[in-house]
Amino acid sequence: MNGDWLLRGRDGRLTVYLKSDDAVLCRAETAPGGPWEPFRRAGGDLGLQQGPAAVGQGVDGYAHLAAWRHAGPGESRLVHCTHFRPLLAPLDWSAVGHPNGKGDRTGTPAVAVDDRRRAYVFVRNAGGGVSLLVQKERGGWYPWRDLKGSGVHEQLAAESRESGLVEVYASTPDRILRWRQEEPGRTPTRDETADVAARPGTLRVLRTSAERTTLFFTDQDGELCAWRPGGKPVPLLQAAGPGPVAAVRCEIDGHDCTVLAQRSASGRVAFAAYPTEQEQAGAWWTESGPPLPATAEVALAVDARGTLVAATLDPTTAALRVTRRKEEARLALEGWREV
C-alpha cells in the first residue's frame, strides 16, 4: 500500500490494509486494543490489477482507497472506495477513470483528503507528469487535472496539512518536486524543488506541524533524509534498509517526537526517534523483534490511548505482528505478537 496502511478509525479501532494479487484486504481490531477480526476483501468482488494500491485518511477518520483494475486488452482504469469505520464493510469500488482518458496503468496512485472530506487522487500520467482527480462534496468527481512535470518516478507521496490543504511530492532522476494547495478547493500548484536524487519508492510524508509536512526519503548514498520546503534536505542517518520509512508523531516522555521505523538489512525492525522538526538533535537506530521476510512491510500509528503502535505485515503470508510502547521511559517496546 502507498500511504499509511495502519490507521486508527474514528471509533478508536486500528485497521490494516493489505494489497493482494487482485484485492485490497482489510483487518480491524474488534475493540480498541482488543483482538483482531480476520482479513476480508475491501470494495466488493471487483478484481484489481497487480501492483500497489493507495490509502489516505481524512480528519473524520474515513479511509479512502484507490487502485487499478483491468478494463480490457491494454486498458486499465482507476477505482476508488471509502471505508467509514473499521468494523463496517468498505463501499464497493467505483470507477474514476484514467488520467489520459484511456490506456494502461501509468503509476502507483497516492491519496490525500482535504478538510471538506474530499479525496484527492494523484497519479503519474503517461507523459511522465502528475495528474489529479478531486472528489465532489456531494458525490462524483471533477475532471482530471494535469499538474504538469516530467520524468516523474512511479511512487508519489500525498498528505493534507492540519488546515486541510493538500500537497503531493514526486521524485525525478535528479530532483524532488512538490505541489501545494494554497486555498481550499484550489488546484495544487508546483512551488519548491529540492535538487537531490531520491531512490525511487522511498518517499514518505508526515504532517509535522500545523502548516508543514516533512518528506522523508533515501538519497543515492543511502542516507535517510528529511526535507521541509523553505529549507534544504537534511541527512538524518543511514537508512536501515530499502524501501520507504514508516513515520509517526507521538509523545515520548512529555516531548513531541517523530518516530521512524524500517525493516533493516538484518531483517529486524529498526526504530529511531528525535524531537519533531529538530533533525539537528540526531537519531540512531535500535533493532527490535525477530528477522522478517524481505517482503515484510512496517507501519506506525498512535492508538486510542495515545500509545505508539508498530506493526509488520508480510504480503505473501498475510502474517500480522504488532507491538506497543511500554509505559516507561524512552522508546521501550513490548514483545512482538502475531495477531
Side-chain angles (χ1 to χ4, degrees):
M1 301 294 296
N2 187 26
D4 293 323
W5 51 262
L6 173 66
L7 299 177
R8 186 183 74 232
R10 62 185 303 173
D11 57 8
R13 296 176 174 89
L14 296 174
T15 303
V16 299
Y17 296 92
L18 167 66
K19 177 62 169 63
S20 68
D21 288 342
D22 67 345
V24 171
L25 307 177
C26 60
R27 187 181 181 190
E29 293 178 317
T30 57
W36 290 71
E37 65 170 357
F39 274 107
R40 53 197 168 115
R41 290 175 71 102
D45 295 329
L46 180 69
L48 301 179
Q49 198 168 341
Q50 288 192 350
V55 59
Q57 187 178 39
V59 294
D60 53 12
Y62 298 168
H64 290 260
L65 307 170
W68 287 97
R69 69 170 179 88
H70 285 294
E75 293 289 327
S76 300
R77 297 292 182 270
L78 279 164
V79 291
H80 165 269
C81 82
T82 307
H83 194 183
F84 295 112
R85 294 190 182 182
L87 292 184
L88 294 179
L91 298 180
D92 287 347
W93 293 108
S94 61
V96 295
H98 191 284
N100 298 97
K102 62 180 181 178
D104 207 344
R105 178 185 183 280
T106 57
T108 299
V111 179
V113 185
D114 71 7
D115 61 341
R116 300 179 187 179
R117 305 178 181 181
R118 302 181 304 178
Y120 285 58
V121 179
F122 299 90
V123 69
R124 183 183 66 182
N125 55 45
V130 175
S131 289
L132 166 65
L133 190 68
V134 180
Q135 195 174 30
K136 295 180 179 179
E137 290 185 60
R138 300 185 180 274
W141 298 80
Y142 292 104
W144 280 96
R145 305 172 190 179
D146 186 357
L147 304 185
K148 307 300 181 181
S150 62
V152 167
H153 291 144
E154 172 162 327
Q155 185 222 9
L156 310 176
E159 182 59 280
S160 59
R161 307 194 294 279
E162 288 186 12
S163 63
L165 298 176
V166 169
E167 55 193 46
V168 63
Y169 294 85
S171 63
T172 72
D174 57 0
R175 65 188 60 187
I176 297 174
L177 312 175
R178 185 184 76 153
W179 287 260
R180 175 185 172 97
Q181 191 180 42
E182 295 296 341
E183 296 179 18
R186 292 287 185 91
T187 299
T189 56
R190 205 170 104 188
D191 56 359
E192 294 192 50
T193 299
D195 293 326
V196 60
R199 289 184 179 176
T202 65
L203 305 184
R204 177 69 74 196
V205 61
L206 177 68
R207 186 186 304 159
T208 51
S209 66
E211 281 304 314
R212 286 193 298 270
T213 61
T214 298
L215 180 74
F216 297 97
F217 64 93
T218 303
D219 68 14
Q220 295 299 321
D221 294 325
E223 286 276 353
L224 180 62
C225 301
W227 178 47
R228 278 182 300 282
K232 294 183 178 181
V234 177
L236 188 58
L237 73 174
Q238 194 74 15
V245 68
V248 74
R249 282 176 70 189
C250 67
E251 185 177 298
I252 298 177
D253 300 339
H255 301 285
D256 177 6
C257 291
T258 294
V259 179
L260 308 173
Q262 195 171 34
R263 181 188 176 277
S264 70
S266 71
R268 304 176 72 199
V269 180
F271 291 89
Y274 67 95
T276 297
E277 294 195 348
Q278 297 181 39
E279 288 80 13
Q280 69 276 10
W284 55 92
W285 296 116
T286 300
E287 295 192 358
S288 172
L292 300 170
T295 53
E297 301 174 355
V298 183
L300 297 170
V302 176
D303 69 12
R305 298 182 301 168
T307 302
L308 174 70
V309 181
T312 66
L313 186 57
D314 183 0
T316 59
T317 64
L320 173 65
R321 292 179 174 85
V322 175
T323 185
R324 281 176 164 83
R325 180 173 175 251
K326 295 179 180 179
E327 294 183 2
E328 57 184 63
R330 303 198 178 187
L331 186 56
L333 300 173
E334 299 173 350
W336 290 85
R337 60 187 180 92
E338 187 166 346
V339 298

